[in-house]
Amino acid sequence: MGVGFGLMVLIAFAGESPSSALGVGGFLVVIGLAFFLNSLFDNRSDPPIPTAARPGPIEPRRQD
């Protein structure tokens, strides 16, 4: 978002075109805002470890 605001200021003053500054810089601000909001909904917990039953050693059958 900071890059977008900086680009808006740069284009507005250096290029003397505020409407172009809002278009280019505003695009980056909106993308940055979307990434920020998306990070708020991110699940940061570790995934659960599956607990599968581990088979023990296989013993041969006894022939009686």
Side-chain angles (χ1 to χ4, degrees):
M1 288 188 292
V3 171
F5 283 122
L7 200 56
M8 274 196 279
V9 171
L10 176 75
I11 293 173
F13 287 113
E16 298 176 359
S17 178
S19 61
S20 296
L22 282 176
V24 175
F27 166 73
L28 292 174
V29 170
V30 169
I31 292 294
L33 183 63
F35 280 132
F36 175 72
L37 291 176
N38 202 13
S39 73
L40 294 177
F41 296 112
D42 189 23
N43 187 4
R44 296 181 186 188
S45 63
D46 293 332
I49 299 172
T51 55
R54 293 186 179 179
I58 300 174
E59 296 180 17
R61 288 190 177 185
R62 296 171 115 184
Q63 300 283 332
D64 287 331

